[in-house]
Amino acid sequence: MEFSLHTASPSKKPTDCLIVGVYDKRKLTPTAQLVDEATDGRLGKVLKREDFKAKPGDTLRLPQLDGCRAERILVVGLGKKKSLDAKKYAKALDGAAKAVTGMPVRKALCALLDATVSDRDARWQARQILQRFTDATYRLTELKSEPGDLPALDRIDLHLEDKTCSDAAEGGAREGLAIAAGMKLTKDLGNLPGNLCTPAYLAEQARKLADRHGKITATVLEEGDMEKLGMGALLAVSRGSCQPARLIVLEYRGGKAKDQPVALVGKGLTFDAGGISIKPSQNMDEMKYDMCGGASVLGTFETVAQLGLPINLVGVVPASENLPDGNALKPGDIIKSLSGRTIEVLNTDAEGRLILCDALTYAERFQPQVVIDIATLTGACIVALGRHASGLLGNDDTLCRQLLDAGETSLDRAWQLPLWEEYQEQLKSNFADMANIGGREAGTITAACFLARYAENFRWAHLDIAGTAWNTGQNKGATGRPVPLLTQFLLNRIE
Ligand code: BES
Ligand code: MN
Ligand code: ZN
């Protein structure tokens, strides 16, 4: 996607599609007003004739109007002017993006910066426009023999009323593009099925990421390396699979050498059949998405590298399959994690915490200022929060607050659950230092309790993205979340 900024009269610029906003009761935004004047009131007349209600996200497609050089005009509803907030604005953008990517439009001139959003600034608006429009062009076509026939939107020109906010718009637009690029990488990896996206493939993509960006290096540990280190928990999960596990380590150096890094640890379970505690077959295909936490780590690195953020970042992605076979880990088995503690595996389907605990211990060697893990960890999280918010738990209230705020700003929201000591009792084992499951109750919390035992030496937060990483049903597909949240969190740390 390309973009540029324009202050000239919107009706004089040739474009495949001019996108303008209208408030309810057909109240025109400044740009819509200009277009109405340039077309001798034709815009206003059609809106009236079509009885356009202008609810946020409503769209109306108009053919060319005399007086305006755009080949077509897309009118976007913004709702009541006074109550236009971030969420309604985003809804309007998504409606517009969906409409415009369904038309044969390569170049669009977007004039939605002139709407005033009550709780946000122009930089945020420009970021959202580029992020949402670019994300709406996302398709995974490589695995179909016939590619789609619509020409793809590949250029968005942003119309500005005047030059006063051009720096903010430019900065925001760049951020939006970089976030969309990170989301695309995350979605591509997520949507790719388990037979193609194996631990080795994930590692290969991490290497390619490092090749594309000078400030990123990738190191990949193989099973032999992990054995020497004593990563008994990660290796136990991988035992039932013919695909050997990997531990992917990414380092981005954009800050000063002495700046402690932020560490992102992402679950990279490339297919979760449950192991010997095998899952029911309904929707089991969706367990190809069990590596979306790891994919979001790679995606966030892409975004951060494109923006050249002045921070240091470490990524650790334990990658494995979880399958049943004659060598597989069995219920009751007791294994030893990298930290030296023993775990009684009462359910082999609670494997995410097993690969993550060794990755968390490994992350310690980078002396991170904070560690955030991202994982499709529990079905219970979908029961608790649905598909709107990611679950958030952690051992540091400031860090949790910062992540919640970043979620609000980016509209990629999270919701905090308690991580009280009382819940730890559910993980007691008669034979080992702990069990890997805590019973039916509070499944998301007890999973986080397990991880917390491996995060005692640093400030840590956990994002359970089981409900947010992909859409199920008709629109099945990875969402690219939580790349927007993580990027906003990192942007907020600068300065
Ligand atoms: N990857 C799953 C969690 C999951 C399930 C995410 C469905 C999204 C949709 C995880 O490895 C798992 O199987 N968790 C178990 C834990 C249980 C055995 C304590 C679960 O949630 O059922
Ligand atoms: Mn599982
Ligand atoms: Zn899993």
Side-chain angles (χ1 to χ4, degrees):
M1 187 70 69
E2 307 270 336
F3 83 94
S4 61
L5 307 180
H6 284 269
T7 45
S9 161
S11 45
K12 296 219 175 82
K13 187 171 166 57
T15 178
D16 297 341
C17 184
L18 169 63
I19 305 171
V20 295
V22 172
Y23 297 109
D24 85 333
K25 307 224 169 75
R26 294 187 298 275
K27 187 173 165 40
L28 303 182
T29 54
T31 317
Q33 186 70 46
L34 288 177
V35 175
D36 191 49
E37 282 159 20
T39 59
D40 286 332
R42 286 186 185 86
L43 180 63
K45 258 186 231 150
V46 212
L47 291 178
K48 191 156 190 190
R49 191 176 65 217
E50 300 295 325
D51 193 23
F52 186 59
K53 291 283 189 279
K55 295 212 184 70
D58 282 0
T59 54
L60 183 64
R61 303 156 54 159
L62 306 179
Q64 190 162 39
L65 296 182
D66 283 349
C68 179
R69 294 185 71 180
E71 287 187 17
R72 50 179 85 61
I73 299 176
L74 182 71
V75 183
V76 185
L78 297 170
K80 280 199 180 28
K81 184 170 183 200
K82 276 211 181 110
S83 60
L84 180 58
D85 60 10
K87 281 222 318 261
K88 290 187 183 125
Y89 189 69
K91 196 171 176 198
L93 292 181
D94 287 342
K98 186 164 186 227
V100 85
T101 51
M103 297 190 281
V105 166
R106 277 183 192 286
K107 281 196 293 187
L109 174 59
C110 177
L112 296 173
L113 275 178
D114 66 352
T116 320
V117 181
S118 57
D119 44 356
R120 296 290 193 278
D121 58 15
R123 188 183 191 100
W124 180 89
Q125 282 179 255
R127 187 188 298 147
Q128 290 286 323
I129 292 173
L130 268 294
Q131 179 194 313
R132 288 176 189 272
F133 275 76
T134 310
D135 185 47
T137 65
Y138 177 84
R139 308 275 182 278
L140 183 68
T141 51
E142 280 137 62
L143 302 174
K144 299 217 190 219
S145 9
E146 308 258 330
D149 44 11
L150 267 186
L153 179 72
D154 60 11
R155 175 169 201 98
I156 294 169
D157 297 311
L158 287 180
H159 171 70
L160 302 178
E161 286 178 90
D162 56 59
K163 292 220 161 83
T164 48
C165 65
S166 59
D167 284 353
E170 165 115 27
R174 280 188 199 293
E175 288 158 0
L177 272 185
I179 292 167
M183 291 170 77
K184 176 179 160 41
L185 177 58
T186 304
K187 288 171 145 190
D188 276 343
L189 294 170
N191 288 329
L192 218 57
N195 62 324
L196 303 175
C197 183
T198 58
Y201 179 88
L202 265 188
E204 201 45 49
Q205 297 313 302
R207 285 214 180 85
K208 287 196 173 150
L209 182 61
D211 290 344
R212 286 201 296 278
H213 300 286
K215 290 180 183 159
I216 300 182
T217 53
T219 316
V220 176
L221 305 197
E222 314 230 330
E223 289 194 343
D225 307 315
M226 294 187 252
E227 229 147 273
K228 275 183 217 137
L229 286 168
M231 293 189 152
L234 201 170
L235 289 169
V237 172
S238 172
R239 269 211 326 255
S241 159
C242 298
Q243 294 289 340
R246 297 282 190 273
L247 186 83
I248 303 165
V249 183
L250 288 166
E251 287 172 81
Y252 167 84
R253 290 195 188 78
K256 301 195 187 78
K258 63 168 191 357
D259 293 348
Q260 282 177 275
V262 169
L264 303 177
V265 176
K267 175 178 176 183
L269 213 289
T270 58
F271 189 78
D272 182 12
I276 296 296
S277 313
I278 197 162
K279 287 182 180 295
S281 49
Q282 174 119 30
N283 292 340
M284 208 212 267
D285 67 290
E286 294 187 8
M287 282 300 110
K288 70 174 182 178
Y289 289 115
D290 211 15
M291 33 56 68
C292 281
S296 76
V297 172
L298 269 67
T300 303
F301 269 74
E302 176 71 44
T303 303
V304 166
Q306 285 197 10
L307 293 173
L309 296 190
I311 55 168
N312 293 332
L313 197 60
V314 167
V316 182
V317 177
S320 170
E321 290 189 325
N322 185 24
L323 297 178
D325 95 334
N327 279 317
L329 180 67
K330 302 175 296 298
D333 286 359
I334 294 180
I335 58 178
K336 193 179 210 169
S337 60
L338 177 59
S339 76
R341 282 169 292 180
T342 55
I343 304 163
E344 184 184 15
V345 180
L346 292 174
N347 188 319
T348 65
D349 199 9
E351 85 299 335
R353 59 199 81 181
L354 298 178
I355 66 172
L356 285 167
C357 72
D358 280 350
L360 285 169
T361 305
Y362 190 83
E364 236 171 86
R365 69 182 58 204
F366 297 99
Q367 298 177 307
Q369 41 173 306
V370 296
V371 177
I372 302 160
D373 82 72
I374 307 107
T376 47
L377 205 62
T378 62
C381 192
I382 314 178
V383 177
L385 299 175
R387 297 183 180 274
H388 303 288
S390 302
L392 170 69
L393 303 100
N395 64 14
D396 186 273
D397 281 336
T398 309
L399 175 60
C400 288
R401 183 75 255 159
Q402 290 166 342
L403 287 162
L404 290 171
D405 287 345
E408 287 294 335
T409 303
S410 60
L411 300 178
D412 178 5
R413 295 194 290 182
W415 193 258
Q416 192 171 1
L417 300 173
L419 193 70
W420 295 327
E421 206 49 44
E422 286 88 328
Y423 293 100
Q424 287 287 357
E425 280 167 37
Q426 289 176 240
L427 293 175
K428 273 194 181 141
S429 159
N430 285 352
F431 309 108
D433 296 338
M434 67 194 97
N436 78 326
I437 53 168
R440 266 175 47 83
E441 294 172 4
T444 302
I445 298 175
T446 54
C449 281
F450 182 94
L451 297 179
R453 295 175 180 224
Y454 292 85
E456 282 165 353
N457 299 332
F458 40 72
R459 295 193 289 156
W460 157 81
H462 158 65
L463 285 166
D464 193 328
I465 58 167
T468 54
W470 73 91
N471 295 317
T472 181
Q474 287 270 295
N475 293 324
K476 192 185 288 182
T479 60
R481 292 176 70 180
V483 171
L485 182 160
L486 292 170
T487 306
Q488 189 65 50
F489 169 80
L490 294 170
L491 285 172
N492 290 350
R493 293 181 86 76
I494 297 165
E495 283 146 31

